[in-house]
Amino acid sequence: MKRLAAAARLFWWFSIRNLRRHQRRTLAVVLGIALGAAVFTSVRLSINASVDAFGQSMDRIAGKADWTVVQPGGRVPEAWVARLLRHPAVESASPLMKTYVRPVSGPDAPFLLIGLDPLLDRPVREWSTGGAADASSQGAPDRAENPESGDALDLMTTPFTLIMGRRLSNTLDAGAGDSVVLFGPRGKVSFTVINVLEDAGLSRADGGRIAVTDIATLQEFTGGYGAVDQIDIRLRPGAPSDAVASLRALLPDGIQLARPNQAKETGLTMIRAYQLNLSVLSFVSLFVGMFLVYSLVALNAASRRGETAILRAVGASRRMVFALFLLEGAFFGIVGWVLAFPVSSAMVGLLVEGIGRTISTLFVRVSVDRLALDAWEVFLSFGVTLAVSVLAALEPAYEAMQVSPREAMASARSRHSVQRIARRLFAAGGLFVAAVWPLSRMPAVSGIPLPGYVATFTLFAGFSLMSPLFLGIISARLSPLLRRLAGEPAYLAGRYLRDSGVRVAVSVGSLITAVALFTALVIMIHSFRGTVDLWVHQTVSGDLFVTPRLGEINQHRSPFAPEIARALNGIDVPADRVPFRRFYLTYGGVPYQFEAIDFETFFRHGAYIWIDGDPVAARRKLAAGRGVIVSEVFANHTGLALGDTFRDLIDGHLVTVPIVGVIRDYRSQGGVAFFSLERYEAIRIEGGGSPDAPGWSGIRFFFREDETPDARAARVDRLKAAIVAQCGDRVDMIAGADLRQSILRVFDETFSITTVLLLIALAVAALGIATTLTVLVLERSRQLNTIYAVGGSRSQIRRMIIWEASLMVAAGELGGLLCGGILSLLLVFVVNRQSFGWTFIYQVDWGALVLSLPLIYITAMLAALPAVRRVFREPPAMILREG
């Protein structure tokens, strides 16, 4: 204990006092770490809140079910409820339907309407009302607990009644006895609210934006007569071990017995890559802050060699010296992490909304109703911040422990020693960069692009290690030219940086990292957007898209009613029609969309972006129904390729065809497989389907004549009016131009969070340049004032420091461009492919880079101005006298 107290006193005397004497540079480093830790923590908390909200919502809907009976891409006949209840191992079987609806008035956001059997559902899900629906039943038992005379009975006996979740009730300002008019697949329907759910159990699903109705009402509302989305099963206690096998044997082809959390796992699979990528990107700000810690601890180790030698002379061991400087790094990490909390609390409120909206748009619907402080995330944030700071201090601490009293008498290392260290670091950095290629060729680990991330940070480390020699070479080569162009101040700046050693180059390394990330993301985003723009104008082509009301959000479970399909097909308009049928399925656990489309008509107006396969031959096979084309995402995630056999049950009908092409497609909810609609309809009818019910999920209209955008928009408006006259409010419509713009807008919003994180990383890097220059000024104050005393003007000395900053920033930008070019290839062809399954056409946005690099240069130079102003803050005579 005494030794620990003595060590603490020594750390206070030796380190903390020194940091207090240099408060500004200490504060700059602490703020850099705090900003990086705040970004990392707030991003993790925000995305975890969205993931947890989705997971908890799915768990509350699944309830206590042991198994779920589903038909992928379709619905389960309701008659199976009675058959399952007769099975000796089944204790309860509860049918369930779900659909998103939108109120006609009030907030436009849709909410989840669940249809269930109030009697059969009691053993499976927890839900209860907040009390009696009217004054006459005050004091009665909970109505949902007494279905004979309560709300459950009202749901079953009174059509188009519902019970609202409390949050939804507050949002819509509707309570017991009120009416709400809802849009659904069959048009507008008025529902009566009979009560409000207690804020527990099922009521908290989907962030509380939920309502419950009788399953028969929901079947009538959606047109899904005689079928349900799923049947949830609870097995009897002590059910025999072969109960599950006997249940599976009981079910016909196309109907499956699945775990209730399968939908949850499918959703989490889609967002897991986004979660990991955002976490890694948020770590970059902390990684850049690591250079700040290194810079200051290295300065302290170099400038206090005499004090370190005295410590060694009075008995301090090498281990003690190593621990003192390592504790300095830990001090920065701990203090920065503490200061990060108020910043995180402000950032997380802004990020959670944007991240939740992105996940809802791209992957699955989430509704975050509360934020919880996860103890694990707090521990992880603290651990990562502390580890980064300690690692940054590791090398300077090792250098300090090598100091002996005799070595400490030398004021500085020789130029040759500096160059020797720089060459060694350059060689090590070259090995790191060379390792990027074999790492990038390694496969993902359990679906996580771990080799890609390791290659990314190896690349950063390699260029950072090469920066000392890189800066020295640039400075040495440019010094004579700078002397001719800008005089002695520029020449002296170049010579000083040439001999400055590792410490100055560390700040250059931080700027290389930030600029590299900026360059890579600019290239990746430009490539992605350019490819998506091509995709939406070729594949997502059409003048008007028509789908059943809220069909997209409900994953097209309810296709057009037969009369609506006939009406759309019979509208007298000079336009080609391309109907399609879409199913949301999984292939070996991989989520994907199966879309049957009229290829013959589509290819007159649209096209696909081919990656593999002969487009001409593939088109003939597709039109004849003798093949399927799959997206790059589907191929990468399933391992299927050109020539392999695609085999899956689609709404209970087996489709077995070869893969005749691989295309680019950027639907975020998994991959996609395209098949002939005509052939699919033939398979469906052969399987017993009705020929009078085509079951289209939507239809595209293509005008046959080329017109100006205004004339085409006018024709779209006239077509919309004709559809409304025929179909009323039972369909959703969006003009093709508006749909394509909305897709690109979603793309831009998705990368807005990325842009914010990138700007923060650049800000931390600029802070590193400012800190390094300030340290250099403080370290050389006697030298600079000596130059002033022997005739150098203040203007010349300030120009010299500005030139030092210019060379540092220029070297950082040049190295960042080189590093960013390699990183962009990693992001496009390795990380994105392993994370999401897609790549894009590589394009460099030279205009954005040419415009952005001068702006980064100016920003970094502005950050360096405080160091320039500090040169003559104290009188030169006083500094020289003290020296």
Side-chain angles (χ1 to χ4, degrees):
M1 194 67 178
K2 289 182 178 179
R3 293 182 63 183
L4 187 61
R9 286 196 299 271
L10 179 60
F11 178 68
W12 178 269
W13 291 333
F14 185 79
S15 298
I16 300 299
R17 281 184 170 183
N18 179 64
L19 296 177
R20 289 178 63 186
R21 282 198 300 269
H22 307 289
Q23 293 180 8
R24 293 194 176 185
R25 64 175 100 160
T26 302
L27 181 61
V29 173
V30 168
L31 288 179
I33 288 292
L35 189 57
V39 170
F40 180 78
T41 305
S42 56
V43 167
R44 292 277 305 176
L45 288 175
S46 299
I47 196 166
N48 285 347
S50 298
V51 172
D52 290 344
F54 170 73
Q56 291 174 12
S57 177
M58 298 302 293
D59 288 340
R60 286 168 180 142
I61 293 174
K64 303 174 184 177
D66 296 316
W67 294 91
T68 297
V69 177
V70 295
Q71 179 168 303
R75 289 193 165 115
V76 181
E78 194 174 14
W80 275 98
V81 176
R83 298 180 191 177
L84 291 168
L85 284 171
R86 289 195 294 268
H87 192 282
V90 174
E91 181 180 64
S92 62
S94 175
L96 189 78
M97 294 185 72
K98 305 186 294 289
T99 188
Y100 280 94
V101 296
R102 182 177 285 118
V104 173
S105 59
D108 190 50
F111 66 87
L112 183 61
L113 181 60
I114 293 181
L116 46 77
D117 186 311
L119 296 179
L120 296 177
D121 196 67
R122 299 308 303 171
V124 179
R125 272 164 282 273
E126 297 178 3
W127 58 275
S128 58
T129 52
D134 53 50
S136 64
S137 56
Q138 291 293 332
D142 189 298
R143 292 165 63 87
E145 296 290 346
N146 184 8
E148 297 297 324
S149 60
D151 298 326
L153 186 60
D154 292 340
L155 285 179
M156 292 187 293
T157 58
T158 308
F160 296 104
T161 54
L162 56 79
I163 304 175
M164 279 189 176
R166 190 167 300 280
R167 181 181 174 189
L168 178 64
S169 174
N170 294 336
T171 302
L172 298 182
D173 193 22
D178 293 333
S179 295
V180 290
V181 181
L182 305 178
F183 281 122
R186 299 284 166 169
K188 290 185 293 188
V189 176
S190 178
F191 281 78
T192 301
V193 182
I194 61 174
N195 214 329
V196 176
L197 292 169
E198 286 187 345
D199 191 21
L202 186 62
S203 178
R204 290 186 177 178
D206 212 48
R209 296 184 54 81
I210 191 171
V212 174
T213 188
D214 183 63
I215 196 164
T217 294
L218 193 56
Q219 286 174 328
E220 185 176 353
F221 180 60
T222 61
Y225 299 104
V228 296
D229 292 341
Q230 64 193 62
I231 302 174
D232 296 322
I233 295 174
R234 289 198 68 186
L235 300 179
R236 296 185 185 278
S241 58
D242 63 346
V244 174
S246 65
L247 282 171
R248 284 201 171 102
L250 180 67
L251 300 174
D253 291 341
I255 298 181
Q256 300 178 0
L257 192 65
R259 284 292 186 183
N261 62 353
Q262 181 172 305
K264 171 184 171 181
E265 291 302 319
T266 299
L268 291 176
T269 297
M270 288 190 286
I271 62 179
R272 196 167 283 132
Y274 175 73
Q275 179 186 22
L276 184 60
N277 282 348
L278 208 56
S279 296
V280 171
L281 184 60
S282 67
F283 176 73
V284 170
S285 296
L286 198 54
F287 182 76
V288 174
M290 176 178 174
F291 291 97
L292 298 178
V293 176
Y294 177 94
S295 179
L296 189 51
V297 177
L299 169 67
N300 291 338
S303 62
R304 306 183 70 198
R305 292 175 66 85
E307 297 176 40
T308 305
I310 293 172
L311 272 180
R312 293 291 315 283
V314 297
S317 65
R318 290 179 179 234
R319 187 184 305 171
M320 176 62 73
V321 172
F322 179 79
L324 282 174
F325 285 96
L326 207 62
L327 282 173
E328 279 194 22
F331 171 82
F332 290 126
I334 293 171
V335 176
W337 180 78
V338 171
L339 292 180
F341 261 88
V343 182
S344 297
S345 61
M347 291 181 67
V348 72
L350 300 174
L351 287 173
V352 70
E353 182 180 353
I355 290 175
R357 184 171 58 251
T358 299
I359 292 176
S360 296
T361 302
L362 296 181
F363 306 109
V364 292
R365 285 191 59 81
V366 296
S367 182
V368 181
D369 57 341
R370 65 194 71 193
L371 278 170
L373 192 60
D374 188 346
W376 162 249
E377 287 301 326
V378 173
F379 175 77
L380 179 66
S381 171
F382 175 76
V384 169
T385 305
L386 183 61
V388 163
S389 301
V390 171
L391 284 173
L394 200 59
E395 197 275 338
Y398 177 79
E399 288 290 323
M401 72 180 285
Q402 306 303 319
V403 171
S404 66
R406 190 177 358 179
E407 292 171 353
M409 299 304 122
S411 59
R413 287 176 175 158
S414 68
R415 175 190 162 196
H416 296 292
S417 174
V418 168
Q419 289 184 340
R420 185 170 60 252
I421 294 173
R423 284 194 294 270
R424 289 175 180 174
L425 291 176
F426 188 89
L431 292 176
F432 273 88
V433 174
V436 170
W437 170 252
L439 284 170
S440 68
R441 306 295 296 173
M442 295 175 64
V445 179
S446 300
I448 300 173
L450 187 60
Y453 292 134
V454 173
T456 297
F457 285 103
T458 300
L459 182 67
F460 285 153
F463 269 84
S464 299
L465 290 172
M466 291 191 293
S467 61
L469 187 61
F470 181 65
L471 177 62
I473 291 173
I474 288 180
S475 301
R477 295 291 183 270
L478 290 180
S479 293
L481 177 62
L482 292 175
R483 170 182 270 171
R484 292 194 297 270
L485 295 177
E488 293 301 324
Y491 173 76
L492 291 175
R495 302 298 281 184
Y496 175 76
L497 291 180
R498 184 196 67 178
D499 302 332
S500 61
V502 174
R503 187 171 63 254
V504 174
V506 165
S507 292
V508 175
S510 69
L511 188 61
I512 286 176
T513 300
V515 172
L517 187 64
F518 174 83
T519 302
L521 287 178
V522 165
I523 294 174
M524 187 192 75
I525 293 173
H526 179 71
S527 301
F528 200 174
R529 199 183 196 285
T531 311
V532 170
D533 186 70
L534 178 64
W535 170 66
V536 298
H537 284 90
Q538 287 193 5
T539 306
V540 193
S541 53
D543 293 294
L544 184 66
F545 289 72
V546 185
T547 58
R549 176 69 72 174
L550 297 173
E552 189 71 35
I553 194 174
N554 286 306
Q555 297 190 334
H556 296 288
R557 281 187 174 273
S558 299
F560 286 128
E563 64 273 16
I564 296 296
R566 287 193 295 269
L568 290 170
N569 207 30
I571 291 177
D572 186 16
V573 60
D576 287 333
R577 297 160 175 80
V578 178
F580 62 90
R581 182 71 169 104
R582 187 178 301 165
F583 300 91
Y584 289 75
L585 306 164
T586 57
Y587 197 101
V590 176
Y592 82 104
Q593 299 173 36
F594 180 90
E595 185 164 310
I597 188 172
D598 178 3
F599 284 118
E600 187 173 349
T601 308
F602 171 76
F603 282 130
R604 296 179 200 156
H605 305 275
Y608 297 109
I609 307 174
W610 294 82
I611 294 178
D612 199 4
D614 181 359
V616 177
R619 286 186 179 191
R620 289 196 300 268
K621 294 178 181 178
L622 290 172
R626 292 187 287 108
V628 64
I629 55 174
V630 299
S631 68
E632 178 188 24
V633 176
F634 182 89
N636 288 335
H637 284 170
T638 63
L640 296 177
L642 184 70
D644 291 339
T645 299
F646 172 91
R647 178 186 175 89
D648 204 2
L649 281 169
I650 313 298
D651 197 15
H653 309 295
L654 182 62
V655 175
T656 304
V657 285
I659 297 175
V660 298
V662 180
I663 60 169
R664 297 187 188 275
D665 192 279
Y666 296 98
R667 306 183 197 203
S668 52
Q669 295 181 332
V672 61
F674 290 100
F675 187 56
S676 165
L677 179 62
E678 182 180 1
R679 179 59 187 147
Y680 171 73
E681 284 297 307
I683 294 174
R684 185 183 66 84
I685 294 171
E686 290 170 6
S690 171
D692 298 326
W696 295 341
S697 299
I699 187 169
R700 303 191 210 183
F701 287 86
F702 292 87
F703 293 126
R704 297 168 187 160
E705 301 173 4
D706 291 333
E707 296 176 312
T708 64
D710 291 341
R712 188 172 289 270
R715 293 188 68 179
V716 168
D717 290 339
R718 290 195 295 271
L719 178 56
K720 283 183 178 180
I723 292 174
V724 170
Q726 292 285 335
C727 306
D729 53 17
R730 297 173 62 178
V731 298
D732 284 332
M733 294 178 286
I734 183 170
D738 294 338
L739 176 62
R740 289 183 283 275
Q741 288 178 4
S742 68
I743 292 174
L744 294 175
R745 184 167 59 250
V746 167
F747 170 87
D748 293 335
E749 290 175 356
T750 300
F751 282 99
S752 61
I753 296 174
T754 302
T755 303
V756 171
L757 298 180
L758 178 60
L759 292 176
I760 291 174
L762 287 171
V764 174
L767 186 61
I769 295 292
T771 302
T772 299
L773 284 173
T774 302
V775 168
L776 292 179
V777 168
L778 291 171
E779 188 182 30
R780 294 185 296 154
S781 57
R782 187 169 183 270
Q783 179 189 52
L784 295 174
N785 282 278
T786 300
I787 294 174
Y788 176 69
V790 297
S793 69
R794 295 192 175 201
S795 174
Q796 288 177 318
I797 294 173
R798 287 195 176 105
R799 292 208 316 271
M800 182 180 70
I801 297 172
I802 290 174
W803 273 107
E804 289 175 3
S806 297
L807 288 172
M808 290 170 64
V809 175
E813 288 198 332
L814 182 58
L817 278 174
L818 295 174
C819 181
I822 301 173
L823 180 59
S824 66
L825 296 172
L826 272 177
L827 292 178
V828 171
F829 297 108
V830 178
V831 174
N832 267 282
R833 187 178 185 275
Q834 293 181 348
S835 296
F836 302 105
W838 58 44
T839 58
F840 13 92
I841 302 171
Y842 190 84
Q843 303 173 35
V844 179
D845 188 359
W846 293 110
L849 290 178
V850 170
L851 179 64
S852 300
L853 291 179
L855 293 178
I856 295 173
Y857 177 86
I858 293 171
T859 302
M861 292 302 296
L862 289 174
L865 287 180
V868 177
R869 291 199 300 267
R870 189 177 177 85
V871 181
F872 298 108
R873 180 164 295 180
E874 298 180 18
M878 182 181 297
I879 294 175
L880 293 175
R881 184 166 57 249
E882 290 176 353

mmCIF file of all heavy atoms in Angstrom, residues 577-580 596-603 675-678:
data_model
loop_
_atom_site.group_PDB
_atom_site.id
_atom_site.type_symbol
_atom_site.label_atom_id
_atom_site.label_comp_id
_atom_site.label_asym_id
_atom_site.label_seq_id
_atom_site.Cartn_x
_atom_site.Cartn_y
_atom_site.Cartn_z
ATOM 1 N N ARG A 577 -48.014 -1.866 -69.884
ATOM 2 C CA ARG A 577 -48.166 -2.224 -68.487
ATOM 3 C C ARG A 577 -47.231 -3.388 -68.157
ATOM 4 O O ARG A 577 -47.195 -4.376 -68.881
ATOM 5 C CB ARG A 577 -49.615 -2.616 -68.179
ATOM 6 C CG ARG A 577 -50.607 -1.480 -68.376
ATOM 7 C CD ARG A 577 -52.010 -2.040 -68.551
ATOM 8 N NE ARG A 577 -53.031 -0.987 -68.637
ATOM 9 C CZ ARG A 577 -53.287 -0.284 -69.733
ATOM 10 N NH1 ARG A 577 -52.622 -0.519 -70.856
ATOM 11 N NH2 ARG A 577 -54.219 0.650 -69.713
ATOM 12 N N VAL A 578 -46.519 -3.272 -67.054
ATOM 13 C CA VAL A 578 -45.622 -4.336 -66.602
ATOM 14 C C VAL A 578 -46.041 -4.720 -65.181
ATOM 15 O O VAL A 578 -45.612 -4.084 -64.212
ATOM 16 C CB VAL A 578 -44.147 -3.900 -66.631
ATOM 17 C CG1 VAL A 578 -43.244 -5.027 -66.110
ATOM 18 C CG2 VAL A 578 -43.729 -3.502 -68.029
ATOM 19 N N PRO A 579 -46.897 -5.733 -65.036
ATOM 20 C CA PRO A 579 -47.263 -6.185 -63.690
ATOM 21 C C PRO A 579 -46.133 -6.999 -63.079
ATOM 22 O O PRO A 579 -45.286 -7.556 -63.782
ATOM 23 C CB PRO A 579 -48.512 -7.038 -63.935
ATOM 24 C CG PRO A 579 -48.350 -7.540 -65.318
ATOM 25 C CD PRO A 579 -47.608 -6.473 -66.095
ATOM 26 N N PHE A 580 -46.126 -7.079 -61.752
ATOM 27 C CA PHE A 580 -45.126 -7.895 -61.074
ATOM 28 C C PHE A 580 -45.733 -8.471 -59.797
ATOM 29 O O PHE A 580 -46.711 -7.948 -59.258
ATOM 30 C CB PHE A 580 -43.858 -7.091 -60.745
ATOM 31 C CG PHE A 580 -44.074 -5.935 -59.800
ATOM 32 C CD1 PHE A 580 -43.964 -6.101 -58.423
ATOM 33 C CD2 PHE A 580 -44.390 -4.672 -60.290
ATOM 34 C CE1 PHE A 580 -44.156 -5.044 -57.558
ATOM 35 C CE2 PHE A 580 -44.582 -3.601 -59.427
ATOM 36 C CZ PHE A 580 -44.478 -3.780 -58.053
ATOM 37 N N ALA A 596 -41.523 -11.887 -59.736
ATOM 38 C CA ALA A 596 -41.953 -12.378 -61.050
ATOM 39 C C ALA A 596 -42.445 -11.173 -61.851
ATOM 40 O O ALA A 596 -43.291 -10.409 -61.380
ATOM 41 C CB ALA A 596 -43.067 -13.413 -60.900
ATOM 42 N N ILE A 597 -41.906 -11.013 -63.058
ATOM 43 C CA ILE A 597 -42.165 -9.797 -63.833
ATOM 44 C C ILE A 597 -42.373 -10.158 -65.300
ATOM 45 O O ILE A 597 -41.875 -11.186 -65.783
ATOM 46 C CB ILE A 597 -40.976 -8.809 -63.665
ATOM 47 C CG1 ILE A 597 -41.279 -7.460 -64.295
ATOM 48 C CG2 ILE A 597 -39.693 -9.400 -64.210
ATOM 49 C CD1 ILE A 597 -40.227 -6.404 -63.988
ATOM 50 N N ASP A 598 -43.107 -9.314 -65.986
ATOM 51 C CA ASP A 598 -43.325 -9.490 -67.428
ATOM 52 C C ASP A 598 -42.088 -8.986 -68.165
ATOM 53 O O ASP A 598 -41.960 -7.809 -68.491
ATOM 54 C CB ASP A 598 -44.575 -8.707 -67.852
ATOM 55 C CG ASP A 598 -44.849 -8.802 -69.348
ATOM 56 O OD1 ASP A 598 -44.102 -9.524 -70.048
ATOM 57 O OD2 ASP A 598 -45.803 -8.152 -69.817
ATOM 58 N N PHE A 599 -41.135 -9.905 -68.422
ATOM 59 C CA PHE A 599 -39.854 -9.517 -69.025
ATOM 60 C C PHE A 599 -40.020 -8.950 -70.426
ATOM 61 O O PHE A 599 -39.345 -7.978 -70.795
ATOM 62 C CB PHE A 599 -38.918 -10.727 -69.086
ATOM 63 C CG PHE A 599 -38.319 -11.093 -67.767
ATOM 64 C CD1 PHE A 599 -38.570 -12.331 -67.196
ATOM 65 C CD2 PHE A 599 -37.491 -10.218 -67.085
ATOM 66 C CE1 PHE A 599 -38.015 -12.684 -65.983
ATOM 67 C CE2 PHE A 599 -36.930 -10.560 -65.879
ATOM 68 C CZ PHE A 599 -37.189 -11.799 -65.320
ATOM 69 N N GLU A 600 -40.895 -9.563 -71.213
ATOM 70 C CA GLU A 600 -41.001 -9.161 -72.610
ATOM 71 C C GLU A 600 -41.347 -7.689 -72.734
ATOM 72 O O GLU A 600 -40.768 -6.952 -73.541
ATOM 73 C CB GLU A 600 -42.054 -10.026 -73.319
ATOM 74 C CG GLU A 600 -42.108 -9.800 -74.819
ATOM 75 C CD GLU A 600 -43.021 -10.785 -75.526
ATOM 76 O OE1 GLU A 600 -43.441 -11.776 -74.887
ATOM 77 O OE2 GLU A 600 -43.307 -10.555 -76.704
ATOM 78 N N THR A 601 -42.297 -7.220 -71.920
ATOM 79 C CA THR A 601 -42.672 -5.806 -71.965
ATOM 80 C C THR A 601 -41.624 -4.932 -71.283
ATOM 81 O O THR A 601 -41.302 -3.842 -71.757
ATOM 82 C CB THR A 601 -44.041 -5.591 -71.294
ATOM 83 O OG1 THR A 601 -44.984 -6.501 -71.857
ATOM 84 C CG2 THR A 601 -44.525 -4.173 -71.498
ATOM 85 N N PHE A 602 -41.075 -5.418 -70.166
ATOM 86 C CA PHE A 602 -40.097 -4.620 -69.428
ATOM 87 C C PHE A 602 -38.880 -4.290 -70.284
ATOM 88 O O PHE A 602 -38.378 -3.155 -70.261
ATOM 89 C CB PHE A 602 -39.668 -5.364 -68.159
ATOM 90 C CG PHE A 602 -38.507 -4.729 -67.459
ATOM 91 C CD1 PHE A 602 -38.672 -3.586 -66.698
ATOM 92 C CD2 PHE A 602 -37.214 -5.254 -67.573
ATOM 93 C CE1 PHE A 602 -37.594 -2.983 -66.059
ATOM 94 C CE2 PHE A 602 -36.138 -4.675 -66.942
ATOM 95 C CZ PHE A 602 -36.336 -3.535 -66.183
ATOM 96 N N PHE A 603 -38.388 -5.260 -71.045
ATOM 97 C CA PHE A 603 -37.165 -5.039 -71.817
ATOM 98 C C PHE A 603 -37.362 -4.045 -72.971
ATOM 99 O O PHE A 603 -36.388 -3.610 -73.567
ATOM 100 C CB PHE A 603 -36.620 -6.364 -72.344
ATOM 101 C CG PHE A 603 -35.888 -7.167 -71.304
ATOM 102 C CD1 PHE A 603 -36.183 -8.507 -71.102
ATOM 103 C CD2 PHE A 603 -34.904 -6.580 -70.516
ATOM 104 C CE1 PHE A 603 -35.508 -9.252 -70.147
ATOM 105 C CE2 PHE A 603 -34.228 -7.318 -69.550
ATOM 106 C CZ PHE A 603 -34.540 -8.656 -69.365
ATOM 107 N N PHE A 675 -37.878 -13.575 -62.086
ATOM 108 C CA PHE A 675 -38.406 -14.723 -62.806
ATOM 109 C C PHE A 675 -39.536 -14.264 -63.699
ATOM 110 O O PHE A 675 -40.113 -13.187 -63.502
ATOM 111 C CB PHE A 675 -38.884 -15.780 -61.802
ATOM 112 C CG PHE A 675 -39.311 -17.089 -62.410
ATOM 113 C CD1 PHE A 675 -38.456 -17.822 -63.221
ATOM 114 C CD2 PHE A 675 -40.583 -17.598 -62.167
ATOM 115 C CE1 PHE A 675 -38.852 -19.030 -63.770
ATOM 116 C CE2 PHE A 675 -40.980 -18.798 -62.704
ATOM 117 C CZ PHE A 675 -40.113 -19.518 -63.520
ATOM 118 N N SER A 676 -39.882 -15.084 -64.677
ATOM 119 C CA SER A 676 -40.951 -14.748 -65.607
ATOM 120 C C SER A 676 -42.309 -14.803 -64.908
ATOM 121 O O SER A 676 -42.669 -15.821 -64.302
ATOM 122 C CB SER A 676 -40.932 -15.721 -66.787
ATOM 123 O OG SER A 676 -42.141 -15.649 -67.514
ATOM 124 N N LEU A 677 -43.077 -13.713 -64.997
ATOM 125 C CA LEU A 677 -44.416 -13.687 -64.406
ATOM 126 C C LEU A 677 -45.340 -14.682 -65.106
ATOM 127 O O LEU A 677 -46.136 -15.370 -64.451
ATOM 128 C CB LEU A 677 -45.000 -12.273 -64.488
ATOM 129 C CG LEU A 677 -46.410 -12.098 -63.922
ATOM 130 C CD1 LEU A 677 -46.442 -12.412 -62.434
ATOM 131 C CD2 LEU A 677 -46.913 -10.676 -64.178
ATOM 132 N N GLU A 678 -45.237 -14.768 -66.414
ATOM 133 C CA GLU A 678 -46.091 -15.696 -67.155
ATOM 134 C C GLU A 678 -45.832 -17.135 -66.720
ATOM 135 O O GLU A 678 -46.779 -17.909 -66.491
ATOM 136 C CB GLU A 678 -45.841 -15.548 -68.661
ATOM 137 C CG GLU A 678 -46.719 -16.439 -69.526
ATOM 138 C CD GLU A 678 -46.446 -16.262 -71.008
ATOM 139 O OE1 GLU A 678 -45.552 -15.458 -71.352
ATOM 140 O OE2 GLU A 678 -47.132 -16.923 -71.816
#
